Amino acid sequence: AITGATALVATALAGCSGTGPLATVSGVVTLDNNPVDGARVMFHSTTEVDGKAGATFSSLTDSSGKYLIASSGKLPGIPAGVYKVTIVKYEGKGPTNVEGMDAGQIEAQLSDGGGAAKASGPVNLMPKAFANPGSTKLSSTLDVGKNENVNFALKSK
């Protein structure tokens, strides 16, 4: 009876986490060797869950180009695994809630407002090649624990 109860407790504890091993990631974003302040670095999970695209986790860079993704909701990290990475920096008026949206979704939101809204909408100051999970060539494999110096040295040409 003790072994059955022990197995039940172990199964219950394993089921509570449900997220698997967690990781944190940090690094620096530069554009033409200059740190980028205020860029949104987004890690898009390549793992599908129940046929749906995996989660996206993001952070803004500081004045020295540094970013840190160290938690997701109440969890002390994000799931370890392979991620596509997008980096955008919008300037100008436009949608206020771009959290978790890729460039295509933001452009679609702008176009819903009509041509005038699109013309005065925000402009992505980063190279377009890095704005969309479908076209970005940036990726990273996050191991369990700290992933430091995951740097992105981007070129404008």
Side-chain angles (χ1 to χ4, degrees), residues 22-25 56-58 68-79:
L22 297 177
T24 61
V25 60
T56 297
F57 306 95
S58 69
L68 168 66
I69 301 175
S71 64
S72 172
K74 295 180 180 178
L75 298 175
I78 64 175

Side-chain angles (χ1 to χ4, degrees), residues 39-156:
R40 181 161 300 281
V41 180
M42 292 179 274
F43 280 70
H44 306 269
S45 176
T46 60
T47 305
E48 289 188 0
V49 179
D50 297 328
K52 295 179 184 170
T56 297
F57 306 95
S58 69
S59 174
L60 286 176
T61 57
D62 66 13
S63 59
S64 58
K66 291 181 183 173
Y67 73 92
L68 168 66
I69 301 175
S71 64
S72 172
K74 295 180 180 178
L75 298 175
I78 64 175
V82 178
Y83 288 84
K84 285 191 170 197
V85 180
T86 58
I87 301 173
V88 295
K89 179 178 177 181
Y90 285 96
E91 188 172 88
K93 294 183 178 178
T96 53
N97 182 16
V98 296
E99 180 72 31
M101 295 172 67
D102 65 35
Q105 292 168 316
I106 293 169
E107 286 178 22
Q109 183 176 349
L110 287 173
S111 66
D112 291 344
K118 187 172 178 103
S120 65
V123 175
N124 181 13
L125 303 179
M126 302 302 288
K128 193 172 183 177
F130 308 116
N132 191 308
S135 63
T136 187
K137 300 216 179 339
L138 303 175
S139 65
S140 184
T141 300
L142 302 183
D143 297 320
V144 175
K146 288 185 177 182
N147 294 268
E148 297 175 326
N149 299 313
V150 181
N151 302 326
F152 298 101
L154 309 180
K155 301 287 182 201
S156 57

